[in-house]
Amino acid sequence: DHCACDFASITGKDQTTVSRHLKVLVEASILKTEKRGRNIIYQISDEAVRQRLLSFGIKSKECCHGGCNNETE
């Protein structure tokens, strides 16, 4: 589970750019979203997609460097 700020810090791109790319992945059903407080959390949509990404050599790792406000309001 990752928020856009996680990807922004990893890629060095601004959060707006990252969010646009994440939206495309959601529209393609690669990712799904969940609202947590003020943040949108992105997750791989299902196990079949996760396995496909692994077959391409794309690994998921735990993240959230504390840059987000993940508290629910």
Side-chain angles (χ1 to χ4, degrees), residues 7-8 20 27 32-33 46 48:
F7 296 106
R20 283 189 206 137
E27 290 171 351
K32 62 183 178 179
T33 61
D46 60 37

Side-chain angles (χ1 to χ4, degrees), residues 32-50:
K32 62 183 178 179
T33 61
E34 176 185 329
K35 182 113 170 119
R36 290 189 196 159
R38 295 183 342 202
N39 294 313
I40 297 175
I41 304 301
Y42 296 88
Q43 303 168 323
I44 296 173
S45 62
D46 60 37
E47 190 57 31
V49 171
R50 183 181 310 278

Side-chain angles (χ1 to χ4, degrees), residues 55-69:
S55 74
F56 293 142
I58 301 170
K59 297 179 184 176
S60 172
K61 59 182 173 179
E62 292 301 316
C63 181
C64 203
H65 305 281
C68 302
N69 179 6

